[in-house]
Amino acid sequence: MARVTVDDCLHQIPNRFQMTLSATYRARQIASGATPMVEPDRDKPTVIALRELAAGHFGVEILNRGQA
């Protein structure tokens, strides 16, 4: 897959702050052993999380999953 850009991710979450928090949360999940939702291709968790976000596999709702 081509390089993922912030603009690709902003189509899913238009607020840069929320986009950053969401991608960070997902990258930490991946680093802790969560199964990637895209092909990892030897990328680091941060890049994998941004690819997932750009593909629409998760959104800002990921921030609310840990709270109950």
Side-chain angles (χ1 to χ4, degrees):
M1 179 178 189
R3 289 183 183 232
V4 64
T5 66
V6 171
D7 291 331
D8 296 332
C9 297
L10 287 173
H11 292 294
Q12 300 298 323
I13 303 175
N15 181 305
R16 283 181 185 261
F17 182 72
Q18 289 180 333
M19 187 269 299
T20 303
L21 286 176
S22 300
T24 301
Y25 186 84
R26 179 63 184 145
R28 286 183 181 150
Q29 286 180 336
I30 295 167
S32 296
T35 304
M37 294 183 260
V38 296
E39 193 63 37
D41 294 331
R42 297 185 324 212
D43 288 325
K44 294 182 179 180
T46 306
V47 175
I48 296 169
L50 289 172
R51 284 185 175 189
E52 290 178 353
L53 179 57
H57 290 292
F58 70 91
V60 74
E61 75 281 347
I62 198 168
L63 298 173
N64 297 325
R65 289 185 185 167
Q67 302 168 0

